[in-house]
Amino acid sequence: MYVLAIFCGMRRGEILGLRWSDCDLENGLIRVQQTLVNVGGKAVMQEPKTRGAIRTIDVPEFALQELKSHYIKQKEIKLQLGQGYEDNDLVVANWTGTPVLPGDVNHDFKIACKFAGIPIIRFHDLRHTHATILLQLGENPKIVSERLGHSDVTITLNTYAHVLPSMQRDLAKNFDQAIKRAKV
């Protein structure tokens, strides 16, 4: 869960709804096609809210290796439990294969933060961290917007406006250096 949020910028519901059939581990691609939501204490799959949220994400190498390792571990658990494993083809599932509820993710993440001795943040903040890092690296906001599944680049720009002032300073420095090189 955490790797997909940090390295791919996926939403909690997208991660919980991700199926192995949506993952191309050979080519390092994930296709976001559904989300998992909690309706009356039950896990329900639904289509993403916008067309932009249905997307293909290129998976960074570290995350891809973690996915492959997780796939193998999950297969081993399926073999051990046999008929006791409810195979829903979910990448993130409980030990018995059943869906994980969104509220459980939030609860477990708070515990993980405490255990790691780091400030408690929301699980969704991992997605924000992903986007912020991409923008600070100078990635095109339109591409970042598509990766996050925003319906419009203005959502991305408005959400991450706090990152832009430092990027403006870097831009000015880079422009100065380019002009100085051009004069030589």
Side-chain angles (χ1 to χ4, degrees):
M1 288 252 358
Y2 306 153
V3 170
L4 291 173
I6 294 169
F7 284 80
C8 298
M10 294 174 69
R11 296 175 180 95
R12 180 187 61 190
E14 294 170 345
I15 296 167
L16 294 176
L18 184 64
R19 298 168 296 200
W20 287 112
S21 58
D22 299 324
C23 299
D24 179 349
L25 298 180
E26 189 173 311
N27 294 305
L29 300 170
I30 289 174
R31 177 98 174 121
V32 177
Q33 301 188 99
Q34 65 181 11
T35 63
L36 184 140
V37 295
N38 184 350
V39 178
K42 290 193 173 213
V44 176
M45 297 296 178
Q46 66 183 28
E47 283 189 24
K49 291 181 182 178
T50 66
R51 283 192 321 213
I54 298 172
R55 64 199 185 280
T56 300
I57 300 172
D58 281 280
V59 181
E61 188 60 32
F62 173 79
L64 182 60
Q65 293 310 314
E66 290 297 310
L67 269 175
K68 288 177 179 179
S69 174
H70 178 65
Y71 182 78
I72 292 166
K73 288 176 190 171
Q74 198 177 65
K75 286 284 188 194
E76 290 170 356
I77 292 168
K78 285 180 192 179
L79 286 173
Q80 288 174 354
L81 294 180
Q83 299 263 342
Y85 190 87
E86 183 182 311
D87 193 352
N88 290 294
D89 192 37
L90 295 172
V91 172
V92 175
N94 289 310
W95 287 103
T96 57
T98 58
V100 174
L101 291 175
D104 293 343
V105 172
N106 294 339
H107 176 74
D108 291 348
F109 186 64
K110 284 181 184 176
I111 293 170
C113 288
K114 285 180 185 177
F115 182 77
I118 60 173
I120 296 175
I121 59 173
R122 300 170 305 150
F123 179 81
H124 193 74
D125 292 333
L126 299 177
R127 173 177 161 85
H128 288 311
T129 299
H130 177 77
T132 300
I133 290 170
L134 290 177
L135 291 170
Q136 287 176 334
L137 289 171
E139 295 297 335
N140 184 316
K142 175 69 174 149
I143 304 303
V144 174
S145 178
E146 290 171 2
R147 183 171 182 84
L148 295 174
H150 288 161
S151 58
D152 191 298
V153 70
T154 56
I155 295 169
T156 309
L157 293 172
N158 289 336
T159 303
Y160 300 100
H162 65 282
V163 178
L164 300 178
S166 66
M167 292 175 66
Q168 284 282 358
R169 282 190 291 278
D170 292 342
L171 180 143
K173 288 177 189 174
N174 291 341
F175 188 80
D176 263 347
Q177 291 172 356
I179 294 297
K180 286 176 185 174
R181 283 191 303 269
K183 286 182 182 179
V184 175

